Amino acid sequence: MQKKHLALAVLVTAVWGLNFPITKLGLAGIDPLLLTALRFTLAALPWVFFVQRPAIAMKWLVAYGLIFGVAMWALINLGIELGVPPGTAALLIQFSAFFTLGWGVLLFRERLSVGQILGVGLAAVGLIGIIASSPGEATTLGYGLLLVSAFSWSVGNVIIKQSKVREMFAFVVWASLFPPLPLLLLTWLAHGSAPFAALVTHMEWLTVFSLLFQVYAATHFCYWGWNLLLREYPVSKVAPLSLLIPVFGVTGSMLLLGHRVDINEGISIALILSALAVGLVTWRRPKRVVSPGQ
């Protein structure tokens, strides 16, 4: 991977990691489904009137938008609302890296290196350790929703590859048109008019900051950068980089929410960093030297 693309990947994962505790701040004043609907409404409007639609079939935009907004981020916000700590949520979503590696093998005939296989094993141990040492208030349903969202992200990665889209910013903007209506409907069906009424009375500057960060940093910038990397490199090369997100997520939770990391969680984070390093190493078998006479 070129240095400029590696730097972009680190910046994207840093912003994404910080997005988890910042989302937690926003959830203090807005229903999780309504917050997600507002996020994608602002991500799409008014930008669709100024950005030309990408030259791909509409089905890819609809599919990615629904997976991206409803099956992924709405479930992440619900999981955090149900008690999953933001740092742990950032870790659980990284199971998408394992799902994405599997899609790369099944659909694109990509081959996993020894380093990637070893990295998957180390990361799995690290993720299990983080979950085991996380606070007990998170519900089983919340963890399940995060795992479903991780799988959804991996499907979204496949859509990027299959659609062969080139205009990444336009793709994110136009795909963001499709989540708001289903999310607004789900909000109404689940809670009636109460979340909409509360939106008016509980809208504070911290909530506005959280929403704007989710729209312009975590959606516009991050998905433009991430999808650009998916366009340029095999999914098996890009997916392991997402393992940096929980590191930034846990760090952000410590700084913004006062989350404390115990020794078990620290060891698990170290394992995840080791998994990333091992997964990015190119492992080559040494060539056999044939001596004269053989």
Side-chain angles (χ1 to χ4, degrees), residues 93-200:
I93 196 68
Q94 298 325 305
F95 277 101
S96 65
F98 309 143
F99 292 130
T100 302
L101 288 175
W103 288 125
V105 173
L106 291 174
L107 300 180
F108 305 115
R109 297 183 179 179
E110 297 175 3
R111 299 183 63 182
L112 299 183
S113 67
V114 174
Q116 287 173 328
I117 295 172
L118 182 57
V120 167
L122 286 173
V125 174
L127 288 169
I128 291 170
I130 286 285
I131 294 171
S133 63
S134 65
E137 69 267 17
T139 64
T140 303
L141 177 59
Y143 284 124
L145 291 177
L146 265 297
L147 290 175
V148 174
S149 70
F151 178 78
S152 300
W153 189 8
S154 74
V155 175
N157 289 341
V158 172
I159 290 175
I160 294 295
K161 297 295 288 186
Q162 293 285 65
S163 68
K164 297 181 172 58
V165 62
R166 305 297 296 178
E167 309 90 343
M168 290 304 169
F169 181 75
F171 182 77
V172 172
V173 168
W174 279 83
S176 297
L177 271 175
F178 301 99
L181 285 179
L183 289 169
L184 290 173
L185 179 60
L186 289 172
T187 303
W188 181 271
L189 292 175
H191 304 292
S193 62
F196 300 93
L199 180 63
V200 178

